[in-house]
Amino acid sequence: MANLYLRLHSCLGLFLLALSFYTRLPTPPHLDYQKLPQASIYLPLVGWVAGGVCALVFYLAVLVWPPMTAVILSITAGIFMTGAFHEDGFADVCDGFGGGWGKQRILDIMKDSQVGAYGAMGIGLLLLLKTSVLSAMPVAAVPLVLWAGHSVSRLPPLLLMRQYDYARVDGSKGAAAVFKPSAKDLGFAGACAVSPMLLLPMGCWLAALPVLLVNGLLGRYFHRHIGGYTGDCLGASQQVAEVVFYLGASALWTFI
C-alpha cells in the first residue's frame, strides 16, 4: 500500500511538473525540476487540460457569438494558457528552415528570439487554417475535436524524442532536458493521447493516421537537415500534428 502511494505521488508530481512547464496554470511551489525531462511523458495529459479549456471556451462563446468568433476565442484561450509555447517553436522552425542553409545556420536562426518573415507568415497561415477548418465543422463536434486534437497532437513530439537524437551539441540549456522515452513510456503516453478520441464517432479515429504519417515525414526532414531535433522542432511537430488532426477529422466528418 505504501509503495502504491509513493508511486501515485511520484506520478502526480511529474504531471504537475509538466503542467508547470508547458502551461501558465498555477502549480504547487517547490517542484523537483531535476525530473523535468521525465515529466514530458505527461504531455498528452497536459493536452487534456489545454484542450478541455479550449473546448469549454468554445462551448460558452458559441452561445453568444457566431462559430468563427467562438473558435478564435478558444484558440486565443489556448495560446494564453500555454504562453504560445508550441506556436513559438513552430515560428522558429519556419524561420530556421525557411531562411537557413546548412545545419549550423539553421540552428543559429532558430536560436534567435526575433521572429522573421518566414515565422510570421507560417504562424499566421497556421492560425488561419485552424480557424477555417474548425469554423466549418458542426458546432456540436468542435469541443470534442478540440479536446482530442490537443491531446493527440502532444504525442508526436515524444515519438521524435524516441527516434532521433538532440541536434545541438553546444551545451545549450535545452540539451540538459534531453530525454528518450522508453517503449513503456510511449505506451502510457499513447493511451492518454488517444483516450479523448473515444468520444468521437469511430470514423474520426482514422484522423490519427495522417498525424503519424506527417510526423514521420517531419522527423525525417529534421534529421536530414540538422541531424535530429531541437526543442523548437518538438513544438513545431505538436502544432503541425494538431492542424493535421483537425483537417483529417473535418474531412472524415463529411462521411459520418
Side-chain angles (χ1 to χ4, degrees):
M1 195 68 173
N3 288 338
L4 178 61
Y5 172 79
L6 289 175
R7 188 169 181 179
L8 289 174
H9 185 269
S10 176
C11 290
L12 179 60
L14 289 175
F15 170 66
L16 291 175
L17 192 55
L19 206 61
S20 171
F21 185 73
Y22 294 109
T23 75
R24 288 178 167 177
L25 295 175
T27 53
H30 311 304
L31 294 172
D32 186 3
Y33 280 88
Q34 295 296 322
K35 296 181 178 179
L36 182 59
Q38 295 92 318
S40 61
I41 66 169
Y42 289 88
L43 258 173
L45 285 181
V46 173
W48 281 27
V49 178
V53 170
C54 292
L56 179 61
V57 169
F58 176 86
Y59 177 80
L60 296 175
V62 82
L63 298 175
V64 183
W65 296 291
M68 181 174 288
T69 303
V71 167
I72 293 173
L73 288 172
S74 70
I75 292 174
T76 302
I79 290 174
F80 179 79
M81 185 174 56
T82 62
F85 189 83
H86 302 294
E87 288 83 357
D88 179 67
F90 177 82
D92 286 342
V93 164
C94 289
D95 277 333
F97 288 87
W101 185 261
K103 175 179 176 177
Q104 193 55 50
R105 181 58 180 157
I106 292 173
L107 293 175
D108 289 343
I109 292 175
M110 286 198 292
K111 203 170 184 180
D112 190 341
S113 60
Q114 304 228 351
V115 177
Y118 286 103
M121 288 187 291
I123 199 67
L125 290 171
L126 183 81
L127 293 175
L128 283 173
L129 192 54
K130 288 182 184 181
T131 302
S132 173
V133 173
L134 290 170
S135 300
M137 294 195 69
V139 170
V142 175
L144 295 178
V145 171
L146 277 168
W147 190 39
H150 275 271
S151 180
V152 169
S153 65
R154 282 165 169 80
L155 178 63
L158 297 176
L159 297 177
L160 295 186
M161 293 166 69
R162 168 72 175 177
Q163 188 169 0
Y164 298 105
D165 295 323
Y166 190 74
R168 295 189 187 275
V169 292
D170 55 2
S172 62
K173 291 182 179 179
V178 175
F179 176 67
K180 195 173 284 290
S182 66
K184 183 179 179 181
D185 292 333
L186 285 181
F188 169 78
C192 294
V194 301
S195 293
M197 291 179 61
L198 298 176
L199 297 178
L200 294 171
M202 189 176 297
C204 285
W205 299 359
L206 294 174
L209 297 180
V211 170
L212 296 176
L213 174 62
V214 171
N215 189 65
L217 295 174
L218 200 60
R220 291 178 63 183
Y221 180 80
F222 292 152
H223 180 69
R224 183 167 68 251
H225 287 279
I226 63 173
Y229 70 88
T230 67
D232 289 329
C233 294
L234 299 180
S237 73
Q238 186 278 323
Q239 284 295 291
V240 171
E242 185 182 340
V243 77
V244 167
F245 179 81
Y246 295 155
L247 286 166
S250 175
L252 290 166
W253 206 276
T254 61
F255 300 102
I256 296 174

